[in-house]
Amino acid sequence: MSYTSLQPIPQRHWWKLPAGRDEAIWITAAYGWCLVMLVVMVGWYFFGNQNQAGEAFRVTIDGFSNKVDEMIEEHQLKDTSGTLMSEGETEVPLVKVPPGSDYYMGAHQYSWGSIPVLELGQTYVFHLSSLDVDHGFSLLPIVLNLQLIPGYDYVLRFTPNKTGVYQITCNEYCGLGHHLMAGKLYVIDTAKNVILDGKGGITGMGS
Amino acid sequence: MKSLQEYFTCPDTGLKFHQPVIALAKANIIAAVVYLLAGGLLGIGVALTRWPAIHLLPSEYFYIFLTGHGAAVLLFWIHLFSCGIAYFFCTTPINARLATPKLAWVCFWMMVIGSAIATVMVLTGQATVMFSAYPPLKAHPLFYLGVILFAVGAVGTNFIILATIMKARSEKTYKGSMPLATFGVMTYAIIGIFTWVSGAIIMIPTWLWSMDLISNIDPQMYRLIFWGLAHSTQQMNIVIMITIWYTLAAVLFGARPLSEKVSRTAFVLYLFALQFGSAHHLLSDPGTSFAFRTFTTSYAAYLAVLGSLLHGLTVPGSIELAQRRLGLSHGLFEWLRKAPWANPIFSGLFLSLVIFGFLGGITGVTMSNQQINMIIHNTMYVPGHFHGTVAGGTTLAFFAFSYWLVPIITRRKLAYPKLAQYSIYLFGLGMATFSLFAMAAGHLGVPRRHWDITFADAVLPFQFPGTVQLLMGIAEAGVMVSGIGALFYLLSMFGTFVGKVVEKGAAQPLAEPAGVVAARMHGGTEPAHGKGLEVPGSLILAMVLLIFLAVYYYAQYKYLGTIWTIR
C-alpha cells in the first residue's frame, strides 16, 4: 500500500489507524507545554506586576486635548526663580502631578506634548491617547510599548521602580515626520535628593 | 472526447496536468516573481537606509519604499505565487480538471491590475501610509481600490479551488481519500475566504472614507478587522508552505505522513483556531478586555500552536521515515546527514522548516503572549520575527517549490542549477541573520518603520547605545546577502522561462536519489528494524525546539518582571 503525500490514500480507514508512539509522545509534550503557557499567562494577570489590559474609554479628541492643557496649566514645574520649566526649541513643558493622580499624555504629530516628572515608587494613573493619528508609546530603555489610538483613552497605572532619565520614542508610523517624535520622562526620588539638575538630567546619575 | 488536448502528462514525473492549470500557474508565478523583484529592490533600499553607517534614502523616499516593500512582497508576491500553485494542488494530485478556467483568468487579471494600481499609488508618494494603512492616516482612494480589487480576485481563486475539489469528488476522479497536499490546499482556500472577506469588510468603507463619502472610520475597529485580513493572509502562507513541505518530501523521497490522522488534524486545528492570531496585533492596544485577550492570544488554548508543533514533528518525520525505508537508517541522523543537501529543492525545504520553526515559530509564540507583547510591540523585533516566517520560511519554500514545479510546467530544464543551489543558502542564511539581529535590536527598543534612530533632527535629542548601531548594521548586511540569493533565484527563474523546450528530461534530478545513496553507503544491506521509535531523529529535533521555546519564554517573563509595575 505505497503512496505519498501527493497521492490519494488507497485505504479507506486511515482515520481508525492509531498514531505512532513518536507522535503520541510529541503530542503529549507539545500540548503539555501549551497548557503551561496558558496557565502562566492567566497567572501573570492575577499575580504578576505587568499587565497592559488596563481600562479604556471612548473620548473625543477635543475633550482629551482640554484635559492635557488643564493638567499642564495646573502642574507645570517652576524653577527656584518661579519660571515655568520646559525643554527643547519648542519648549516642551515639564509636568509633575501629585502621586496617585492622573497624567494626561496627548501624543500628536510629532510631539509627546509634555515631559512627565515622576517620583520613584509612586503610582500614577496614566491616560494615553492621540490627538490625531495612531502613535506608538515606547519608553526606553525599559522598552515598554503601548499603542495610542485617537478617540481612545488608554488608562494604565504606572509605578516606576528606577530613577533616571527615560526616553519616549514613537514606534508607530505617524506621518512623514515620524522620526522627529522623541520625548522624555524623568523618574526622581526627592526623599533621597535625586532631583532634576536643570540641565536635562538628574543629580546623582551623571547624565 | 477532447481529453487528449485537455491534459498534459509530464514524461519525467508521470504527473497529469489539466492544460489551463499549466497556463494559469505560469502566469501567476511570473507575476509573483515580478513583484519579488520589485519588492526586493525596495527592501534593499529600506535596508541600506536602516543600516546606520549608510543611511541611503531621504526620509520621504524611505517611507515610500517601506510601504511599497510590504505591499509588493507580503501581499502580491506571496499571494500571486500561492494562487498559481494552489491550482496545481487542487487538480493534478486528484486527477481533476480546474472548475472554471475562465473565471480563474478573470481573478488573475483582477489581482494583477489591483496590485499594479496600489503599487503605482505607493511609488508616486500618494499612499505613504505603510502596508497597514491605519486611519486616520489617509491614502489616495485608488490605493484602497487596488487592494480591494486584489482581494476580490484572490477570494475568487479560493472559491475556484473549493469548486474544483467538489467537482472532482462528484466526478469520482480519484479513489480513496484525497491526498494530504490537496487537503492542505483545501484548508488554505477555506481560510482564504474569511481572510479576504475581512479585507473587503474593512477596505470598502475605508475606500469610501478616503473619498469623503463616509465621515469616520473608527481607528480601533479598523485595526481589529484589518488584522483579520493581514494576519490571516500570513496564516494562508503558513498553510501553503506546510503543504509544500509535505509535497517536496513526497517528490524527493516518496514520503507520506507518519499518520494521516495526525497531519490532517493539525490542518483542521488551523482551520478553527488560526484566525484568533489576528488579535495578536491588538495586545498592546486599548479597547479589549483580559478575557478577550486570553482567548485570542492563546488561539483558544493554543490549538493552532499545537497544529504547528504537530507539523514540526511530522514533516521531518515523514522524510526520516522515507529515508529509513530507503536504507539510510543507521544511527539517529544518517537520514538527514545523507540527504541531498546540494539539491536546492531539498535544502530549500529543510532550511525553510528550520528557520520557520526556530526563528519565526518560537518568537511568534512568545511575542503573541499578551503580557510579553508590550516589551516588543512595534519594535524591530516584529520585522525580525516575520522575516523569519514569511521570508526565511515561506519565501524559501517557494524558491524550492519553483525549482521543482517550474521546469515541469514550462518543459524546460532548470537554468543555472548552481545559482539555484547557492540561492537557497544565501537567502536563507541572510534572512536568518536579519531576523536574529533585528530581534536583538528590537529587544533594545529600536522602533520599526523608523527613518532615523539617531534622532538627529528631533527637538529632544536621543541616542541609542553603540551596540544598537552594530546590531542594525549586521542585520542589514544579512539583507544584502539574502538579496544576492534572491537575485540568483530570479536569474534561474528567468533563464528557465526563456530556455529551450525539451521533449523529455526537463525535470532532471538535481542530486543523487536517496535510494542510490543508501545502496552505495550500505550496499543494500537492510539494517534490523528494532521495536523502538519510528522517527527518533525527528523527535529529538522537535524536542530541541520545544526546549528552546521554553527557555526563551522563561527569559522573556524574567525580564518583564524587572520593569515598572503596570496595571
Side-chain angles (χ1 to χ4, degrees):
Chain A
M1 283 315 230
S2 169
Y3 69 99
T4 73
S5 302
L6 203 53
Q7 291 162 343
I9 314 174
Q11 65 266 46
R12 267 292 185 186
H13 300 295
W14 54 267
W15 180 253
K16 291 183 183 149
L17 299 173
R21 213 152 57 102
D22 318 58
E23 284 168 298
I25 294 171
W26 178 240
I27 293 168
T28 312
Y31 200 60
W33 171 249
C34 289
L35 292 178
V36 169
M37 291 195 292
L38 185 61
V39 169
V40 169
M41 181 163 72
V42 174
W44 196 273
Y45 179 75
F46 292 103
F47 305 108
N49 284 331
Q50 293 80 16
N51 282 285
Q52 78 276 42
E55 287 177 291
F57 300 94
R58 293 296 304 265
V59 289
T60 62
I61 286 175
D62 288 343
F64 195 86
S65 182
N66 289 340
K67 288 279 191 188
V68 175
D69 293 344
E70 280 167 27
M71 175 194 74
I72 294 172
E73 182 91 15
E74 198 173 334
H75 296 293
Q76 187 170 2
L77 275 178
K78 290 183 182 128
D79 62 14
T80 40
S81 63
T83 326
L84 289 170
M85 291 172 76
S86 63
E87 281 186 30
E89 237 172 81
T90 50
E91 301 190 340
V92 188
L94 274 78
V95 177
K96 187 167 189 273
V97 301
S101 57
D102 299 305
Y103 196 103
Y104 291 90
M105 189 136 221
H108 53 92
Q109 290 167 330
Y110 299 103
S111 163
W112 292 97
S114 64
I115 300 174
V117 180
L118 311 178
E119 285 283 353
L120 180 72
Q122 300 291 340
T123 300
Y124 298 85
V125 184
F126 264 74
H127 296 255
L128 302 163
S129 191
S130 162
L131 307 181
D132 40 41
V133 299
D134 283 16
H135 293 285
F137 174 90
S138 181
L139 186 67
L140 304 173
I142 61 172
V143 202
L144 164 66
N145 310 287
L146 299 160
Q147 185 78 28
L148 272 51
I149 298 177
Y152 287 80
D153 177 2
Y154 196 175
V155 187
L156 287 166
R157 284 161 185 80
F158 287 169
T159 316
N161 61 359
K162 218 173 162 216
T163 56
V165 182
Y166 293 74
Q167 308 291 340
I168 306 169
T169 63
C170 177
N171 67 7
E172 181 60 80
Y173 174 74
C174 60
L176 292 175
H178 170 49
H179 49 276
L180 303 174
M181 194 163 162
K184 222 170 170 181
L185 184 150
Y186 293 97
V187 177
I188 59 172
D189 189 356
T190 314
K192 290 210 171 116
N193 210 28
V194 181
I195 51 170
L196 300 179
D197 65 5
K199 291 178 290 200
I202 56 176
T203 58
M205 293 292 290
S207 60
Chain B
M1 293 289 278
K2 55 170 193 168
S3 65
L4 275 178
Q5 289 87 26
E6 215 180 335
Y7 290 97
F8 166 77
T9 305
C10 170
D12 307 315
T13 58
L15 293 172
K16 197 170 105 179
F17 291 84
H18 187 209
Q19 288 283 12
V21 169
I22 295 183
L24 277 161
K26 278 196 237 175
N28 275 277
I29 291 174
I30 290 171
V33 166
V34 169
Y35 276 111
L36 178 69
L37 173 62
L41 289 172
L42 294 168
I44 299 276
V46 170
L48 288 176
T49 310
R50 293 222 66 170
W51 190 332
I54 300 176
H55 209 241
L56 180 73
L57 297 170
S59 63
E60 194 183 340
Y61 283 100
F62 170 76
Y63 292 125
I64 289 175
F65 272 48
L66 189 51
T67 306
H69 172 66
V73 283
L74 197 59
L75 264 187
F76 307 148
W77 142 253
I78 296 278
H79 290 287
L80 281 162
F81 192 94
S82 298
C83 288
I85 63 172
Y87 291 140
F88 158 76
F89 283 121
C90 70
T91 53
T92 300
I94 53 171
N95 209 12
R97 298 184 279 146
L98 193 66
T100 52
K102 279 193 187 127
L103 207 56
W105 281 109
V106 173
C107 291
F108 170 72
W109 285 111
M110 281 177 79
M111 290 170 81
V112 167
I113 294 167
S115 56
I117 293 172
T119 308
V120 168
M121 284 298 114
V122 171
L123 293 183
T124 51
Q126 295 176 82
T128 314
V129 290
M130 296 297 130
F131 157 73
S132 48
Y134 296 134
L137 284 179
K138 198 183 275 190
H140 192 285
L142 282 176
F143 170 76
Y144 304 103
L145 184 65
V147 175
I148 292 165
L149 269 178
F150 186 84
V152 174
V155 79
T157 69
N158 296 141
F159 281 112
I160 293 167
I161 291 160
L162 294 180
T164 301
I165 295 172
M166 284 167 70
K167 206 164 121 207
R169 282 179 66 83
S170 68
E171 290 176 0
K172 297 195 170 43
T173 60
Y174 62 99
K175 286 205 180 81
S177 293
M178 70 169 73
L180 183 66
T182 309
F183 192 84
V185 98
M186 185 176 75
T187 314
Y188 157 88
I190 297 169
I191 293 179
I193 289 168
F194 40 97
T195 299
W196 298 116
V197 168
S198 300
I201 289 174
I202 197 61
M203 279 300 165
I204 291 171
T206 309
W207 174 49
L208 298 175
W209 165 77
S210 72
M211 296 185 296
D212 293 325
L213 296 174
I214 287 180
S215 64
N216 180 42
I217 295 285
D218 184 285
Q220 181 71 77
M221 184 56 74
Y222 176 92
R223 289 169 65 85
L224 178 71
I225 305 175
F226 172 80
W227 286 111
L229 163 73
H231 195 90
S232 305
T233 51
Q234 308 321 311
Q235 318 290 29
M236 296 169 70
N237 305 347
I238 293 178
V239 176
I240 205 131
M241 172 181 68
I242 292 169
T243 305
I244 287 175
W245 289 344
Y246 280 118
T247 302
L248 292 182
V251 301
L252 287 167
F253 307 107
R256 62 183 152 93
L258 302 177
S259 147
E260 293 286 351
K261 183 164 67 177
V262 172
S263 291
R264 286 172 200 235
T265 304
F267 277 121
V268 173
L269 287 173
Y270 278 173
L271 201 51
F272 288 109
L274 259 185
Q275 297 301 307
F276 299 128
S278 309
H280 293 173
H281 298 260
L282 313 180
L283 293 177
S284 297
D285 282 19
T288 57
S289 68
F290 169 70
F292 171 87
R293 284 161 200 253
T294 302
F295 183 73
T296 53
T297 61
S298 68
Y299 295 101
Y302 287 102
L303 294 180
V305 174
L306 178 64
S308 289
L309 289 170
L310 291 183
H311 291 303
L313 173 75
T314 61
V315 172
S318 77
I319 298 173
E320 179 172 355
L321 190 63
Q323 288 275 72
R324 285 182 186 276
R325 285 194 175 142
L326 290 167
L328 292 172
S329 58
H330 291 244
L332 281 175
F333 291 111
E334 188 188 41
W335 62 276
L336 189 57
R337 278 200 322 274
K338 298 295 169 194
W341 289 98
N343 180 349
I345 300 172
F346 174 75
S347 58
L349 151 66
F350 212 83
L351 226 57
S352 153
L353 177 68
V354 170
I355 295 174
F356 183 86
F358 279 84
L359 292 178
I362 287 179
T363 60
V365 170
T366 308
M367 74 195 279
S368 64
N369 180 290
Q370 64 171 320
Q371 291 103 0
I372 290 172
N373 188 266
M374 78 179 124
I375 53 176
I376 56 89
H377 178 68
N378 273 349
T379 65
M380 270 311 280
Y381 189 93
V382 179
H385 154 74
F386 69 68
H387 282 77
T389 57
V390 182
T394 307
T395 298
L396 207 55
F398 284 5
F399 285 9
F401 198 71
S402 307
Y403 293 143
W404 177 69
L405 186 70
V406 171
I408 294 174
I409 58 174
T410 58
R411 306 311 307 155
R412 291 163 167 98
K413 283 191 172 162
L414 184 69
Y416 313 121
K418 271 282 167 211
L419 293 189
Q421 187 186 332
Y422 296 142
S423 74
I424 296 290
Y425 291 103
L426 291 172
F427 188 81
L429 298 177
M431 268 303 132
T433 306
F434 173 77
S435 177
L436 267 175
F437 285 87
M439 287 192 283
H443 275 315
L444 295 175
V446 176
R448 69 185 289 200
R449 295 174 166 177
H450 201 279
W451 177 64
D452 178 22
I453 55 167
T454 66
F455 295 91
D457 305 320
V459 173
L460 298 169
F462 175 56
Q463 193 96 47
F464 275 106
T467 327
V468 160
Q469 320 286 332
L470 183 68
L471 291 174
M472 290 300 288
I474 298 172
E476 306 305 357
V479 174
M480 298 306 128
V481 173
S482 69
I484 297 169
L487 177 70
F488 286 178
Y489 167 77
L490 291 166
L491 285 173
S492 178
M493 280 297 107
F494 180 75
T496 308
F497 270 102
V498 301
K500 203 168 81 191
V501 176
V502 291
E503 197 64 23
K504 210 166 165 5
Q508 79 256 46
L510 297 165
E512 240 177 344
V516 178
V517 178
R520 198 184 59 233
M521 296 284 303
H522 309 304
T525 55
E526 193 72 18
H529 207 42
K531 273 194 277 181
L533 298 167
E534 265 187 317
V535 290
S538 300
L539 190 58
I540 288 178
L541 290 180
M543 287 295 180
V544 168
L545 177 100
L546 201 59
I547 292 165
F548 264 71
L549 172 56
V551 170
Y552 188 67
Y553 182 85
Y554 172 77
Q556 296 303 311
Y557 264 113
K558 182 97 181 148
Y559 170 70
L560 183 69
T562 67
I563 69 170
W564 295 10
T565 298
I566 296 135
R567 276 253 154 226

